[in-house]
Amino acid sequence: GKLSLGEGLEKHPLENRWALWFFKNDRNRAWRDNLHLLTKFDTVEDFWALYSHIQLASKLSSGCDYALFKDGIEPMWEDCRNKHGGRWLVSLAKQQRQSNLDRLWLETLLCLVGEAFEEYSEEVCGAVVNVRTKGDKIAIWTSEAENQPAVTFIGRVFKDRLGLSPKVVIGYQAHADTATKSNSFTKNKFVV
Amino acid sequence: EKKRYDREFLLGFQFIFASL
């Protein structure tokens, strides 16, 4: 039969409403002024409609970010849902932009909208992809860095869903440590 | 009940969108 998208066909609701943010680096403007809310969605269908109409991460200019966060949480450390939290960080080699970045970012998005972290999904605030010349990064942000059971569960699921080799180690960094670091390295609070 | 969707279910909708 022919697929009908007419009246009476209900969309599949997500557990959360999500907001997609875009950051474009302009050194002449304040960091906050470079951050733009693109749109919000709360169904499977609207997620794909959005995903199908925006640039792939690998096509963004260096210095740009996408951030997908639960509605009501801004993608910055200062937000009350983020400030005691941290992030699982996956750093990619330069050559992985073409081979892996889009697949890994989509997998990250599917983890979020599908609520892949079971009873710990409520701890998830959002995810960020940073497109950078020196190497792209993908991170999942959680709300409480001291919640070890939740953080480590989320990290294990995230690593598994990305299909990373068991030999690869990813680290979780508290935003408080990242914000106060004196050099470019932030200590890992947990690793998986 | 929490609304959870596995990756295969979600990806199935991508292909529907791609074919429209």
Side-chain angles (χ1 to χ4, degrees):
Chain A
K2 210 172 167 186
L3 179 68
S4 168
L5 290 176
E7 289 178 23
L9 202 64
E10 292 182 10
K11 294 179 180 177
H12 294 76
L14 300 175
E15 179 66 22
N16 285 285
R17 172 173 284 124
W18 297 88
L20 183 68
W21 300 76
F22 178 67
F23 178 87
K24 185 174 174 58
N25 192 25
D26 179 346
R27 293 176 189 279
N28 297 316
R29 302 170 69 180
W31 183 88
R32 184 66 181 79
D33 295 335
N34 288 327
L35 184 63
H36 307 282
L37 173 63
L38 295 183
T39 190
K40 298 178 182 180
F41 59 88
D42 61 4
T43 68
V44 175
E45 288 80 356
D46 289 346
F47 163 71
W48 285 117
L50 172 61
Y51 183 81
S52 305
H53 285 90
I54 58 173
Q55 288 271 20
L56 292 169
S58 64
K59 304 300 182 195
L60 297 180
S61 305
S62 286
C64 291
D65 303 337
Y66 279 135
L68 186 75
F69 273 70
K70 288 175 180 170
D71 187 20
I73 308 178
E74 293 192 311
M76 56 185 71
W77 301 332
E78 296 86 346
D79 189 285
C80 64
R81 289 281 304 273
N82 292 323
K83 65 182 179 184
H84 300 298
R87 62 176 181 170
W88 280 109
L89 180 62
V90 177
S91 298
L92 305 179
K94 286 182 187 177
Q95 60 270 26
Q96 287 182 285
R97 180 174 301 174
Q98 295 312 319
S99 61
N100 280 327
L101 178 65
D102 295 327
R103 179 181 65 81
L104 296 176
W105 176 238
L106 177 57
E107 198 65 41
T108 304
L109 297 175
L110 297 181
C111 286
L112 265 55
V113 301
E115 307 286 336
F117 305 105
E118 301 185 16
E119 68 267 34
Y120 297 118
S121 286
E122 287 181 15
E123 283 289 308
V124 172
C125 297
V128 182
V129 57
N130 308 119
V131 179
R132 300 290 184 271
T133 307
K134 61 187 177 185
D136 306 323
K137 297 176 188 174
I138 294 174
I140 287 185
W141 289 32
T142 74
S143 63
E144 179 51 68
E146 300 299 326
N147 188 343
Q148 182 171 2
V151 170
T152 53
F153 183 87
I154 290 166
R156 287 192 194 103
V157 171
F158 184 36
K159 182 178 174 180
D160 181 60
R161 286 284 298 262
L162 294 185
L164 302 180
S165 161
K167 292 183 216 164
V168 173
V169 173
I170 62 171
Y172 182 89
Q173 301 160 358
H175 296 318
D177 291 339
T178 307
T180 57
K181 67 186 178 184
S182 57
N183 54 42
S184 60
F185 296 98
T186 304
K187 67 179 179 183
N188 289 326
K189 195 170 178 66
F190 306 108
V191 295
V192 294
Chain B
E1 192 177 324
K2 300 279 187 188
K3 298 175 190 70
R4 296 187 181 126
Y5 302 106
D6 63 29
R7 69 185 300 279
E8 287 71 26
F9 180 87
L10 292 169
L11 285 168
F13 284 84
Q14 181 183 27
F15 300 133
I16 291 173
F17 268 82
S19 66
L20 291 177

